[in-house]
Amino acid sequence: MARTGSSLERLKSQNTEYIKEIIYKYAPISRSEIAEMLQLTPPTITTNVAALIQKGLVYECETAPGQEKLHGGHALGRRRILVDFVPDARYTLGVAQGYFGTLLCLVDLRGNVVLERQYEDDIDDYEQMMDAIAERVEAFLEETQVPREKIAGLGIGLPGFVDGHRGVLRYGAIKKWKDKPVAEDLRRRTGFSCRVENSARCCALGEELFSGKLRPETFAYFFISRGLACPLVIRSRLHAGEMAGAGEVGHMVVDPSGPVCPTCGNRGCLEGVSSELAICNRCAQAMQAGVPSLLGAVCADPLHPQIEEILQAQRSSDRLVCSIMEEAVTYLGIMLSNIINFINPSLVIVDGRIMQEEENRRLLLQAAHSHLFSIQVEEVEIEFVPYNQFRPARGAAALAVKKFILQKDR
């Protein structure tokens, strides 16, 4: 009997989760539409929506003028009562760490940014870094003046192998920390519920929840930065894998005789030939060898070129830079075609600074299309999104919305 009661409670909790996710994705939406989409009874929808309204998460709104169903040019019956989330009912905080330092971002339930801040990092000790993040969170929230009780939770995005289920950073791509219980350590320091995830997977979640576009249930997010990844959202669920490494396409070997990857130590992996870091390293090696290039004029330190300086030289048609970039982007395009051929998503979102250049987009599409299984060339959409360095932090905030609002009956 206890088992039956427990099963009933799980079913009720699951129904509530489904209802919240449908409202979040398709709102404003009517109760009858929710019932039809989920194949649940109207009383179940009515009871759950009433509970969400009582908690202040959801509100009722009428169909806007001109949106009623028409017959013979006249609206029939009363305006439909729709439901939607209250954007400022709760807020979530996103924290992201990477080559850019530490990023903080506070958003409402619809991803509208309240405040963003960037902090430089020179702390290698794990405990000291956790203390510093907690202190920054407190100062940041004080600056926003959002009451603590309205913060639903905190999401943390980190590069490397992250076990989001256990809240553990198994291996950091930058700091090289191992088996650190980041979620629990920050929960203890901040007092907020915390979830941790790989920063690229956070970006995919941010796109799903906060883009303002109706994304398909399954899509891939090709993230091109100093590291490379391609996380997957499958049936509206982020795929993390069994060993916290899902989406790490950057460490697939594309050239066995290629350079040693500075992250994993393997030779010829994609990250070692096509990441921002690999491009910068190749340009630096060419400058050290005395190869003629505009980089000598545009770089603050020609022996340590930065990616923005390299892109500036590419825009000026510098022969060296264009050659290095073409090879790097061609490898990226081949990998993109492999991802599409294997996963068969209807959409791939491409995010990266180097992809803000039209020539690099053209090269990527050309390489991808030439290696795609022919039927998929027209059937898959490849979408480039504007570069925004705060995407990982905003995605971490989306992680908190997903875990503390949509997937949990609070």
Side-chain angles (χ1 to χ4, degrees):
M1 182 64 70
R3 183 177 300 174
T4 301
S6 176
S7 298
L8 182 59
E9 287 303 313
R10 284 199 301 271
L11 179 61
K12 288 181 178 179
S13 179
Q14 188 178 65
N15 286 342
T16 300
E17 178 179 315
Y18 290 154
I19 291 167
K20 286 190 290 188
E21 291 189 333
I22 287 294
I23 295 173
Y24 194 90
K25 187 170 185 177
Y26 297 101
I29 187 172
S30 68
R31 291 169 174 81
S32 61
E33 288 170 327
I34 300 171
E36 182 177 355
M37 293 178 73
L38 294 177
Q39 294 295 294
L40 294 174
T41 65
T44 297
I45 304 301
T46 298
T47 300
N48 277 275
V49 170
L52 293 174
I53 291 175
Q54 186 176 15
K55 292 177 181 178
L57 289 176
V58 168
Y59 75 106
E60 292 183 333
C61 54
E62 290 186 344
T63 309
Q67 292 185 342
E68 304 90 344
K69 293 183 179 180
L70 301 179
H71 179 71
H74 299 284
L76 293 177
R78 297 178 299 176
R79 291 182 178 180
R80 294 185 304 154
I81 301 299
L82 310 178
V83 293
D84 196 353
F85 271 87
V86 180
D88 62 355
R90 300 286 191 278
Y91 296 84
T92 61
L93 183 64
V95 179
Q97 272 202 309
Y99 299 99
F100 37 69
T102 299
L103 304 177
L104 267 64
C105 178
L106 185 73
V107 304
D108 67 17
L109 292 188
R110 284 301 185 184
N112 299 306
V113 176
V114 177
L115 185 65
E116 294 173 329
R117 287 287 181 267
Q118 180 178 12
Y119 303 87
E120 293 185 1
D121 277 338
D122 56 0
I123 303 173
D124 290 326
D125 181 79
Y126 172 76
E127 296 294 339
Q128 291 180 16
M129 190 70 253
M130 294 297 103
D131 289 340
I133 291 176
E135 291 171 5
R136 290 166 181 173
V137 165
E138 291 302 320
F140 182 81
L141 288 178
E142 185 174 345
E143 186 177 357
T144 68
Q145 297 186 337
V146 173
R148 287 182 64 91
E149 59 268 20
K150 298 201 76 172
I151 306 298
L154 189 153
I156 309 110
L158 298 170
F161 283 75
V162 179
D163 185 341
H165 299 295
R166 295 192 300 129
V168 174
L169 173 66
R170 294 187 60 187
Y171 181 76
I174 301 174
K175 303 286 188 180
K176 309 305 181 184
W177 295 327
K178 293 183 179 180
D179 297 320
K180 299 298 185 181
V182 178
E184 174 58 25
D185 286 344
L186 283 179
R187 184 206 62 78
R188 182 164 40 82
R189 285 170 167 86
T190 65
F192 294 119
S193 298
C194 297
R195 290 297 292 261
V196 63
E197 187 52 90
N198 170 271
S199 52
R201 293 201 286 266
C202 284
C203 288
L205 274 179
E207 189 63 30
E208 179 198 11
L209 266 62
F210 295 162
S211 68
K213 300 177 181 178
L214 188 59
R215 296 305 192 187
E217 289 189 344
T218 299
F219 67 89
Y221 193 96
F222 197 22
F223 184 72
I224 304 165
S225 185
R226 288 178 69 92
L228 299 168
C230 190
L232 305 173
V233 174
I234 301 175
R235 295 185 178 179
S236 299
R237 293 292 186 272
L238 185 67
H239 180 63
E242 295 300 319
M243 295 174 287
E248 292 291 341
V249 298
H251 300 293
M252 292 184 177
V253 175
V254 294
D255 182 3
S257 61
V260 174
C261 173
T263 301
C264 70
N266 291 330
R267 183 173 290 278
C269 68
L270 184 67
E271 192 168 303
V273 297
S274 294
S275 66
E276 286 185 8
L277 182 59
I279 293 168
C280 290
N281 286 342
R282 286 195 61 190
C283 288
Q285 291 165 5
M287 294 302 293
Q288 290 171 353
V291 179
S293 171
L294 290 174
L295 289 173
V298 302
C299 293
D301 180 357
L303 297 182
H304 297 89
Q306 302 301 305
I307 195 65
E308 290 297 344
E309 297 168 333
I310 293 170
L311 291 174
Q312 181 182 344
Q314 183 189 19
R315 288 191 290 269
S316 298
S317 302
D318 180 78
R319 182 175 299 180
L320 168 67
V321 170
C322 288
S323 175
I324 291 174
M325 193 66 75
E326 180 176 357
E327 180 176 337
V329 174
T330 297
Y331 275 119
L332 291 172
I334 293 171
M335 178 57 69
L336 179 57
S337 69
N338 290 335
I339 293 167
I340 295 171
N341 286 335
F342 182 60
I343 304 299
N344 196 217
S346 60
L347 171 68
V348 178
I349 296 167
V350 181
D351 177 14
R353 272 188 296 189
I354 66 173
M355 287 301 140
Q356 302 310 296
E357 301 299 319
E358 189 61 38
E359 175 62 12
N360 293 338
R361 296 186 182 193
R362 184 191 68 78
L363 287 170
L364 184 81
L365 293 175
Q366 179 182 353
H369 286 161
S370 64
H371 291 87
L372 278 176
F373 185 60
S374 59
I375 194 173
Q376 298 188 100
V377 173
E378 300 298 329
E379 293 184 356
V380 64
E381 178 184 359
I382 300 174
E383 178 185 331
F384 297 92
V385 294
Y387 174 73
N388 184 336
Q389 71 170 7
F390 279 94
R391 276 185 184 276
R394 196 166 178 241
L399 171 69
V401 170
K402 191 91 167 179
K403 298 302 181 182
F404 302 128
I405 298 295
L406 301 183
Q407 294 183 350
K408 185 177 181 181
D409 187 15
R410 296 175 62 84

